[in-house]
């Protein structure tokens, strides 16, 4: 099934000049960039984006990290895009990330882990319109 998923190149990876590096993983896997922009989230916006984690002990630190500098937000489209993007990203903790994944290449630690990807159709349907109106997705 052709799906759309929301991905974010996080502030640590943007700082490392790794925007092109991350995009290459997705494009080399045959996935398409359907929308893309660089933005700087406020603390409040980062909290709203990650609202599902509001009870987690790392919630405030996560929102602070996600708003420390610009990010690149992407809509990725392709066959089984939600699961495939998660696979290409690698495990949340780079210590567990398989070789050849984005996080194995660029993540620093479990928080500063280079990329985000929607984890389900339900998440994607919240996260894509959070950043992109339909007319900006191609
Ligand atoms: P993402 O949602 O960003 O794609 P994920 O689905 O792999 O990552 P989640 O469990 O949803 O992981 O956590 C969201 C983000 O919160 C992680 O990507 C990471 O930046 C941060 N995070 C997760 N667990 C921890 C932790 N134990 N300590 C600090 N930060 C964490
Ligand atoms: Mg997640």
């Amino acid at each position: 099934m052709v799906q759309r998923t929301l991905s974010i190149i996080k502030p640590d990876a943007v700082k490392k000049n790794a925007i092109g590096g991350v995009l290459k993983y997705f494009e080399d896997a045959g996935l398409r960039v359907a929308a893309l922009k660089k933005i700087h989230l406020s603390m409040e916006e980062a909290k709203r984006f990650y609202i599902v984690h509001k009870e987690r002990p790392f919630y405030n630190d996560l929102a602070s990290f996600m708003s420390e500098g610009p990010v690149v937000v992407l809509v990725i489209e392709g066959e089984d895009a939600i699961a495939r993007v998660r696979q290409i990203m690698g495990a949340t903790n780079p210590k567990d990330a398989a070789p050849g994944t984005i996080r194995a290449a660029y993540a620093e630690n479990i928080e500063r882990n280079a990329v985000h990807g929607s984890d389900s159709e339900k998440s994607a349907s919240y996260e894509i319109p959070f950043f992109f109106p339909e007319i900006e997705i191609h």
Side-chain angles (χ1 to χ4, degrees):
M1 188 195 8
V2 175
Q3 293 177 322
R4 286 175 175 175
T5 188
L6 192 283
S7 179
I8 305 179
I9 306 176
K10 295 185 180 183
D12 57 328
V14 170
K15 237 171 249 169
K16 285 182 183 142
N17 225 13
I19 296 170
V22 171
L23 291 177
K24 187 163 165 50
Y25 280 80
F26 295 135
E27 292 192 332
D28 286 352
L31 295 164
R32 292 189 326 100
V33 176
L36 168 154
K37 63 188 167 193
K38 190 179 199 181
I39 57 171
H40 192 153
L41 292 169
S42 69
M43 181 77 178
E44 289 318 307
E45 289 162 343
K47 281 182 144 172
R48 199 148 47 79
F49 179 76
Y50 274 122
I51 194 74
V52 291
H53 292 313
K54 66 175 189 301
E55 307 301 336
R56 309 284 282 277
F58 56 80
Y59 178 58
N60 267 288
D61 284 350
L62 171 61
S64 170
F65 160 55
M66 290 299 289
S67 58
E68 75 176 30
V71 297
V72 172
V73 288
L74 309 164
V75 177
I76 301 291
E77 187 177 78
E79 197 62 34
D80 295 321
I82 295 172
R84 284 180 58 218
V85 162
R86 298 278 297 178
Q87 226 165 31
I88 295 164
M89 283 165 45
T92 310
N93 189 338
K95 287 183 182 138
D96 305 323
T101 62
I102 295 170
R103 282 168 169 166
Y106 295 119
E108 290 162 35
N109 55 50
I110 195 169
E111 178 182 86
R112 305 177 69 84
N113 60 5
V115 277
H116 163 84
S118 307
D119 63 10
S120 62
E121 281 188 52
K122 184 164 173 271
S123 307
S125 69
Y126 172 73
E127 294 176 357
I128 293 171
F130 188 95
F131 292 111
F132 296 102
E134 186 59 37
I135 57 163
E136 292 183 10
I137 306 171
H138 304 282

